[in-house]
Amino acid sequence: MSKLYIVPTPIGNLKDMTFRAVDVLKEADLILAEDTRTSGKLLKHFEITTPMQSHHMHNEHKTVEGVIQKLKSGITIALISDAGTPAISDPGFLLTRACIENNIEVDCLPGATAFVPALVNSGLPNDKFVFEGFLPVKKGRQTRLLLLAEETRTIIFYESPHKLVKTLGHFCEYFGEERQVSVSRELTKLYEETIRGTAKDVLEYYTNKPPKGEIVIVVGGKNKS
């Protein structure tokens, strides 16, 4: 029986790769990779020789139908992204939906994803939270921020290092300078750090110390009182 496996990969520390993920990637007939060069290093480390095919945000609309036909032929395919769980701010949703529409089994393995450790590390309430991923770059950004300013649950964002200071400035403007913020950077890697404080304090920190690496921002919700 054909099946699509969604396989999380480490967000930095290779020791976070699960035994099951290695087994699935070894046993699959084909691996769909966001960047075959990046994933090639991971596969080599774990001695995985399964063939790879490129599947990323720029070509997934065109490649989904071909992948579905491959699955219908009876092969097993594993989908991975550069890091973390596919479909979380990465390609994966379109293919998963197409598989479900075509009655092809989908099995998502548990594993690494950046926002969970960042949320827990933040010390902010995590019984209820909203995952926003990346904010709109231009169109719709202000509208989204105005809406989120009223959100009472903890909010999680992904951000690139060169846009972090700008985004923290927007949080000060739309959420208020005293809103609690936690920025986790380079999770699981050698220079991992988490900076917590008010939006104003965290903005000041990163204005004086330009950040590098992958970033997750966790923002406290608006007080209900």
Side-chain angles (χ1 to χ4, degrees):
M1 291 291 292
S2 61
K3 181 188 286 191
L4 174 70
Y5 284 97
I6 311 294
V7 183
T9 55
I11 59 174
N13 193 323
L14 291 179
K15 292 181 180 179
D16 291 334
M17 189 75 166
T18 68
F19 294 119
R20 186 181 173 204
V22 173
D23 287 344
V24 167
L25 294 179
K26 284 183 175 180
E27 294 168 7
D29 298 302
L30 177 66
I31 295 172
L32 300 180
E34 188 177 2
D35 186 327
T36 55
R37 294 166 298 179
T38 299
S39 296
K41 298 173 185 176
L42 176 77
L43 301 190
K44 183 178 180 181
H45 179 83
F46 290 104
E47 299 179 345
I48 298 167
T49 58
T50 307
M52 279 191 294
Q53 177 181 316
S54 178
H55 183 83
H56 49 74
M57 63 180 294
H58 301 296
N59 73 0
E60 62 176 333
H61 287 84
K62 299 176 182 178
T63 58
V64 164
E65 183 57 36
V67 174
I68 292 298
Q69 294 306 316
K70 284 184 171 70
L71 285 162
K72 285 182 175 180
S73 74
I75 71 171
T76 298
I77 295 178
L79 173 67
I80 60 177
S81 59
D82 288 347
T85 301
I88 304 297
S89 292
D90 276 326
F93 162 68
L94 292 178
L95 180 56
T96 300
R97 181 177 65 181
C99 285
I100 293 168
E101 290 172 348
N102 285 274
N103 296 313
I104 296 168
E105 187 177 355
V106 179
D107 190 350
C108 182
L109 277 60
T113 189
F115 78 80
V116 174
L119 172 62
V120 176
N121 281 342
S122 72
L124 294 167
N126 52 36
D127 55 332
K128 294 183 177 69
F129 60 89
V130 180
F131 177 74
E132 280 291 315
F134 290 96
L135 282 165
V137 177
K138 293 180 181 178
K139 187 178 180 181
R141 188 180 181 93
Q142 182 182 39
T143 301
R144 195 70 198 156
L145 287 167
L146 285 169
L147 179 66
L148 291 172
E150 301 303 314
E151 177 59 64
T152 58
R153 294 167 291 183
T154 299
I155 315 167
I156 304 167
F157 301 91
Y158 285 165
E159 191 53 281
S160 59
H162 66 280
K163 293 179 182 175
L164 177 61
V165 168
K166 177 183 177 181
T167 296
L168 290 171
H170 284 157
F171 290 168
C172 287
E173 180 182 352
Y174 291 95
F175 301 165
E177 293 183 344
E178 299 305 308
R179 187 73 71 95
Q180 290 297 304
V181 171
S182 174
V183 174
S184 289
R185 187 179 66 81
E186 292 289 81
L187 285 164
T188 79
K189 300 176 185 177
L190 182 61
Y191 298 106
E192 174 180 345
E193 72 170 6
T194 295
I195 302 299
R196 308 172 185 87
T198 65
K200 181 181 179 181
D201 290 341
V202 178
L203 171 60
E204 184 177 340
Y205 176 87
Y206 281 111
T207 299
N208 295 322
K209 187 180 178 181
K212 296 179 180 179
E214 302 295 323
I215 291 167
V216 185
I217 313 173
V218 184
V219 180
K222 182 181 180 181
N223 290 331
K224 297 179 181 180
S225 58

